[in-house]
Amino acid sequence: KQWYQRRVAITAGDELEVFDGASTGKYTIGLGQRGMGFCSDVEDICSLSLTAVHGLMERQNISYPDIGHLQVGTETIQDKSKAVKTVLMDLFVKHGNTDIEGVDCINACYGGTAALFNAINWIESSSWDGRYAIVVAADIAVYASGPARPTGGAGAVAMLIGANAVLSIDRGLRSTYMAHVYDFYKPDLNSEYPRVNGKLSIQCFLKALDVTYKGYKDKAAMKDNQDVDLSYFDFMTFHSPYCKLVQKSFARLCYQDYLADSTVTDKLEQFRHVAVEDTYINRDLERAFISHSQEEFDRKTAPSLLIPKNVGNMYTATLYSCIASLFVNNSPEEMLGKRIGAFSYGSGLAASMFSFTVTSDLDKLRPFCNDLSHLSHHLNNRIKVAPEDFEKMMKKREQNHYLPNRTPSYPANRLSQGTYHIVQVDEEHRRTYTRTSVLDTLHKAPGGTTNHDKCAAHYCPHM
């Protein structure tokens, strides 16, 4: 099962274009983004993860002692040694469960996939004790003021992993590509902002897509004597730094299929003999295959972009929000027995292509889809923040994020119910969290009293 935690704050892409003095459509068409979720100074990576895990346990009515493995995939570093997973243990310790394996996985946007693979490997191993695993993919993607800032976002996904699941990973069909490259990295440990080489990162992304797609096809041929092309997948999902890159990625797979079929000769033939390195920057090729694959993209991938288009890049969580989006935009009958391809990418770099198969048991699938049906409502009922207020909040976050001895300035009563947030950061950088209750709503007047589920999670970043 998956549970997606939405953020309550959003800035609209078209309004941000005007505020930034960007050309009309630069963010909404050029990047393919409608809006962007973000966090104020009252939330951090641990509060997002606490919200997602607590929400998952409540929605699925799972007993805390029934969890035996918990891993967090994130690149949002709160502490240089203490894992986000250890903060989440406050939820389990109060229920007497301290026997939970796993820590954090870190490599840019790939950490959630690494955590997922580790959890699956645990369940398939002799170490499995029959309990569930939970995988959390969570990040806060923030950039310095400038052209990269609109590609930010924030969110978390918590996934319940176990036997006889509604969504099963296809065994033996994982293809991975890893290399050393400085396309995106965070060398300044006193700042949340990354160093980004955008052009290099896109080339690395597309090359990784090429290599993992070929590897996936080779493994399918060896394992099942199966020829794979895009027709093999009912749906295809991708990591989405911004939604326009997803369409380019789908077109890239279409191009690879075209190269693999030497019997086809048509107007695309002119691109068959372009040098591989040149294809990553060839705009004519890109446009031709986007047009050529448009209908198939609209059917197989566009439905996966509901959350990324409205929330933005959530780094590790983005791919899994795409998968959740498929179940929001399609009925249980439309998803029954379908194969979902997935491409995960993290700069630096690490990438994998793998796939899932949806159960063929409709009675089993319906509750899964119903559990995700609330997402559209939540997306449509977030607080809209004006671009100038967004800039002020980002400045406040930049100034305060790593400071000790502070109380957040953003009013917690503007958060949705069930959201964890920071109460205080003490002089030793230790943070205390609490959870908004059902009484703490968006319509509650500031200064009112509420009941809170205290979570005294302490840690010491950047001592």
Side-chain angles (χ1 to χ4, degrees), residues 44-51 53-54 64 70 72 76 78-79 81-94 97 100 102-104 136 420-422 429-434 454-461:
D44 63 17
I45 189 59
C46 294
S47 69
L48 263 65
S49 300
L50 284 163
T51 302
V53 172
H54 198 152
Y64 282 87
L70 171 60
V72 179
T76 307
Q78 196 67 58
D79 185 283
S81 67
K82 183 173 171 61
V84 174
K85 183 267 181 77
T86 62
V87 177
L88 298 179
M89 285 305 299
D90 262 2
L91 298 175
F92 297 87
V93 169
K94 67 178 67 175
N97 186 7
I100 303 179
V103 284
D104 292 0
V136 180
Y420 279 85
H421 60 89
I422 303 166
H429 295 263
R430 295 173 297 193
R431 301 186 177 206
T432 304
Y433 300 93
T434 194
K454 279 282 187 180
C455 179
H458 301 296
Y459 55 100
C460 310

Side-chain angles (χ1 to χ4, degrees), residues 237-398:
T237 58
F238 302 83
H239 171 56
S240 176
Y242 53 92
C243 291
K244 194 67 174 182
L245 183 57
V246 172
Q247 184 163 17
K248 293 178 181 180
S249 300
F250 189 91
R252 185 78 192 181
L253 296 186
C254 182
Y255 168 65
Q256 291 297 338
D257 286 350
Y258 186 84
L259 293 180
D261 186 355
S262 59
T263 64
V264 177
T265 57
D266 54 22
K267 62 182 180 180
L268 299 174
E269 184 68 21
Q270 60 180 306
F271 302 113
R272 190 179 292 277
H273 302 295
V274 178
V276 173
E277 293 304 316
D278 293 337
T279 63
Y280 300 127
I281 57 175
N282 190 315
R283 294 293 181 87
D284 291 335
L285 184 152
E286 180 182 279
R287 283 191 289 265
F289 280 92
I290 285 177
S291 176
H292 182 69
S293 61
Q294 184 69 57
E295 184 178 339
E296 197 171 9
F297 169 81
D298 289 343
R299 186 173 69 255
K300 293 188 174 184
T301 299
S304 73
L305 298 179
L306 171 67
I307 296 171
K309 189 178 286 289
N310 288 282
V311 178
N313 187 6
M314 297 161 280
Y315 289 161
T316 57
T318 302
L319 173 64
Y320 301 97
S321 76
C322 290
I323 295 171
S325 295
L326 286 177
F327 289 91
V328 176
N329 279 327
N330 291 282
S331 69
E333 290 78 9
E334 290 170 322
M335 295 302 298
L336 196 67
K338 296 298 192 291
R339 178 178 284 109
I340 302 170
F343 173 67
S344 179
Y345 177 85
S347 292
L349 62 82
S352 291
M353 184 171 289
F354 51 106
S355 58
F356 301 91
T357 298
V358 182
T359 181
S360 295
D361 185 340
L362 189 57
D363 291 335
K364 197 174 179 181
L365 181 58
R366 279 201 179 102
F368 180 89
C369 294
N370 290 339
D371 186 52
L372 294 171
S373 62
H374 67 285
L375 292 179
S376 293
H377 172 77
H378 283 171
L379 287 171
N380 293 330
N381 285 275
R382 293 173 295 170
I383 297 173
K384 185 178 178 181
V385 176
E388 54 269 24
D389 294 329
F390 165 65
E391 281 291 316
K392 291 176 183 176
M393 293 167 71
M394 290 298 96
K395 189 65 177 177
K396 176 75 74 173
R397 182 180 178 87
E398 179 182 332

Side-chain angles (χ1 to χ4, degrees), residues 413-414 439-450:
N413 63 354
R414 299 193 77 196
L439 300 177
D440 197 9
T441 68
L442 296 177
H443 304 292
K444 185 174 175 60
T449 58
T450 61

